[in-house]
């Protein structure tokens, strides 16, 4: 019961301020100097989604679009480098698409979280001998998301019901809820691989026979459904924060370099809120634990937009730059994409590389933020479809497989620590054998000194000649006499 006019105004104020927080805007800054303006915006605390070459505009999402103009007045040098173009207020993606008169046909449009799982089930049903769906929360023992959803993967391999001693590759989409194209980049890659193999394409068949592919189209199902139903510019998940604010930026929540550098925030209403502690979010735990379990050789995480390849680290020294940057350069040449360091510490590719040596890249796909789905098919997918065949070939044809076994029993030794004398890690990187006692390492050609250590075993050191193609070595560890 509202007792007087004053309390009534107070409640109205509260309502208005809460709605103001919720209303995001997509702001286009027309500029010919995207790098300078991006840098300035980042320093001001804005998250820049990317630069559309076609529109010659940086795309920024903010609840306070007028602030950009106010700040520009105070910095005329930068202010003269851009003009504010379209400012579009938040609404549901469905509402937005209806206004644009987009025709809705489920198979020709962006999918919701449920529909995405249904698409995985369709592929599993059509290719049952080589594709199997996994409920990752159950598989990895991670609790459901805030809204009770689970995250699903399609495993494509010769025996998809098993985890085998093979090179493994991960494709991930939809860390960020509003990046609608990214789940399709993953779904379409799975479908293309399966269809190519069925139609007799030798390389696709080889990949399925010799490797293990994991496709996770939607890492952030709560956020995705919120984008479709309520706010097409929502970025984070839907975790409950203090004061009824929602959402953690999943790609700021990973534990490696968490909050150490770049564009992230401790404020829970920020677009780039890093969470209260590293790995706090179930979505992030799923991704981290999946890699801990499987040890991916490569991982590709799709985001949008900007046509760019991102590699670790934003802050920190990359000890394996010769190999890492070679793959990055080949990938960006193949796709005609630019390249840059990540926007912040705490991103998933930094964590995967640091903890397990996964050659992990973040790809910003497309030149528009949420293009009509037909444009994704026509303009974006023809480029993005080149990623999987390239990565699969790298994973199949360039590695040193190190297998560590007990000298006496021949049993595999998991968790053995590996080091290469010529590679000096500066960021506490770990390289350890998986459940099969294996580690797949892509090393530069030449003579390398390998050492293997494991508690209760004698350390073993040996010299290896790396060809840069497929090499393998079995290391036998002797138990210490205690
Ligand atoms: Zn993103």
């Amino acid at each position: 019961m509202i007792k007087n006019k004053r309390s009534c105004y107070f409640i109205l104020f509260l309502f208005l301020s809460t709605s103001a927080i919720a209303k995001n805007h997509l702001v286009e800054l027309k500029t010919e100097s995207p790098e300078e303006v991006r840098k300035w915006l980042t320093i001001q605390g804005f998250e820049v989604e990317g630069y559309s070459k076609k529109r010659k505009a940086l795309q920024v999402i903010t609840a306070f679009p007028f602030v950009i103009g106010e700040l520009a007045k105070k910095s005329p040098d930068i202010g003269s480098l851009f003009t504010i173009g379209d400012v579009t207020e938040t609404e549901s993606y469905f509402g937005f698409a209806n206004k644009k008169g987009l025709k809705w046909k489920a198979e020709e449009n962006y999918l919701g979280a449920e529909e995405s799982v249904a698409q995985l089930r369709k592929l599993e049903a059509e290719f049952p001998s080589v594709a199997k769906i996994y409920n990752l929360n159950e598989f990895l023992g991670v609790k459901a998301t805030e809204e009770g959803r689970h995250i699903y993967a399609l495993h494509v391999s010769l025996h998809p019901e098993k985890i085998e001693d093979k090179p493994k590759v991960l494709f991930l989409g939809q860390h960020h809820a509003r990046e609608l194209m990214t789940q399709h980049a993953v779904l379409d890659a799975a479908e293309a691989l399966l269809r190519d193999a069925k139609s007799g394409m030798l390389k696709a068949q080889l990949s399925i026979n010799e490797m293990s592919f994991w496709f996770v189209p939607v890492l952030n199902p709560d956020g995705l459904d919120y984008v479709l139903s309520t706010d097409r510019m929502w970025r984070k998940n839907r975790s409950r924060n203090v004061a009824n604010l929602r959402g953690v930026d999943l790609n700021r929540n990973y534990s490696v370099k968490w909050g150490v550098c770049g564009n992230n925030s401790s404020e829970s209403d920020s677009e780039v809120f890093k969470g209260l502690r590293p790995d706090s979010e179930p979505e992030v735990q799923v991704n981290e634990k999946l890699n801990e379990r499987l040890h991916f050789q490569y991982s590709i995480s799709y985001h949008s937009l900007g046509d760019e390849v991102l590699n670790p680290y934003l802050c920190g020294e990359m000890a394996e730059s010769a190999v890492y940057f070679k793959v990055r350069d080949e990938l960006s040449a193949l796709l005609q994409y630019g390249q840059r360091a990540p926007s912040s510490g705490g991103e998933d590719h930094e964590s995967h590389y640091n903890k397990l040596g996964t050659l992990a890249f973040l790809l910003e796909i497309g030149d528009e933020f949420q293009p009509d789905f037909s444009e994704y098919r026509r303009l974006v997918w023809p480029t993005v479809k080149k990623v999987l065949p390239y990565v699969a070939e790298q994973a199949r044809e360039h590695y040193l497989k190190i297998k560590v076994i007990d000298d006496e029993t021949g049993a595999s030794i998991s968790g053995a620590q590996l080091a290469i004398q010529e590679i000096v890690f500066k960021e506490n990187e770990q390289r350890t054998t998986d459940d099969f006692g294996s580690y797949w390492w892509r090393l530069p050609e030449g003579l390398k000194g390998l050492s293997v250590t494991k508690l209760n075993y004698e350390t073993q050191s040996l010299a290896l000649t790396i060809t840069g193609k497929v090499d393998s070595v079995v290391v036998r560890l002797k138990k210490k006499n205690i």
Side-chain angles (χ1 to χ4, degrees), residues 47 49 175-176 179 235 251 302-305 362 364:
E47 169 65 13
E49 284 309 308
H175 260 87
H176 290 140
E179 297 170 6
R235 171 182 170 93
N251 215 31
Y302 287 117
H303 287 248
S304 62
L305 54 89
L362 186 160
E364 298 276 8

Side-chain angles (χ1 to χ4, degrees), residues 9-300:
Y9 284 138
F10 179 61
I11 286 167
L12 182 65
F13 167 74
L14 271 183
F15 171 73
L16 286 175
S17 42
T18 323
S19 352
I21 286 167
K23 291 220 183 232
N24 272 323
H25 292 72
L26 170 61
V27 184
E28 288 204 324
L29 302 184
K30 303 271 185 195
T31 178
E32 304 274 347
S33 315
E35 283 320 307
E36 286 104 311
V37 178
R38 179 199 280 265
K39 225 179 263 172
W40 175 76
L41 285 163
T42 305
I43 294 166
Q44 308 303 320
F46 290 96
E47 169 65 13
V48 182
E49 284 309 308
Y51 183 68
S52 166
K53 288 185 217 101
K54 198 164 80 184
R55 300 174 73 91
K56 293 202 167 146
L58 283 168
Q59 317 239 323
V60 181
I61 286 130
T62 173
F64 308 104
F66 61 91
V67 173
I68 298 175
E70 294 300 313
L71 288 167
K73 279 185 209 155
K74 289 183 193 159
S75 314
D77 285 359
I78 285 289
S80 66
L81 295 179
F82 69 86
T83 53
I84 297 181
D86 289 353
V87 178
T88 321
E89 197 182 283
T90 278
E91 61 182 321
S92 75
Y93 185 77
F94 287 132
F96 164 77
N98 281 337
K99 270 187 209 151
K100 281 181 77 181
L102 297 183
K103 291 191 179 62
W104 282 92
K105 255 194 196 173
E107 71 274 18
E108 289 170 18
N109 228 315
Y110 295 118
L111 301 177
E114 288 292 312
E115 295 163 309
S116 185
V117 180
Q119 177 63 17
L120 293 181
R121 291 203 193 287
K122 241 165 83 179
L123 291 173
E124 181 188 48
E126 194 179 340
F127 304 94
S129 62
V130 288
K132 181 176 160 47
I133 200 165
Y134 281 68
N135 176 328
L136 294 181
N137 295 75
E138 286 173 5
F139 179 55
L140 302 164
V142 176
K143 68 173 184 180
T145 63
E146 178 74 40
E147 294 176 353
R149 293 188 175 89
H150 287 176
I151 295 158
Y152 291 84
L154 192 72
H155 179 206
V156 174
S157 189
L158 199 56
H159 304 110
E161 70 289 355
K162 287 192 219 163
I163 310 300
E164 295 183 300
D165 190 11
K166 290 177 169 180
K168 298 179 182 68
V169 176
L170 172 65
F171 285 86
L172 273 166
Q174 211 101 30
H175 260 87
H176 290 140
R178 63 197 177 207
E179 297 170 6
L180 291 176
M181 291 185 288
T182 62
Q183 68 154 315
H184 291 274
V186 177
L187 287 171
D188 291 348
E191 185 167 350
L193 174 66
L194 290 162
R195 296 211 184 285
D196 286 351
K198 195 177 180 180
S199 71
M201 270 179 66
L202 187 64
K203 285 189 172 175
Q205 289 174 341
L206 266 180
S207 292
I208 292 180
N209 287 346
E210 295 177 7
M211 297 172 59
S212 161
F213 293 86
W214 290 74
F215 298 95
V216 184
V218 180
L219 193 71
N220 181 4
D222 293 357
L224 169 60
D225 272 25
Y226 192 71
V227 161
L228 296 179
S229 68
T230 312
D231 177 353
R232 78 181 181 98
M233 290 304 152
W234 188 257
R235 171 182 170 93
K236 302 184 282 182
N237 70 355
R238 297 290 297 157
S239 281
R240 270 169 218 283
N241 302 326
V242 288
N244 220 16
L245 295 165
R246 292 286 201 115
V248 169
D249 183 344
L250 297 180
N251 215 31
R252 298 293 183 272
N253 188 239
Y254 292 87
S255 54
V256 170
K257 310 272 177 195
W258 180 75
V260 171
C261 54
N263 190 20
N264 59 75
S265 172
S266 306
E267 305 293 330
S268 55
D269 62 347
S270 164
E271 286 284 287
V272 287
F273 177 44
K274 65 184 179 177
L276 294 175
R277 55 184 191 282
D279 292 338
S280 58
E281 303 308 294
E283 297 89 342
V284 166
Q285 291 166 19
V286 161
N287 189 8
E288 291 278 44
K289 287 195 171 186
L290 188 64
N291 205 9
E292 271 168 38
R293 177 77 69 88
L294 300 176
H295 284 221
F296 292 107
Q297 276 68 67
Y298 290 79
S299 101
I300 300 289

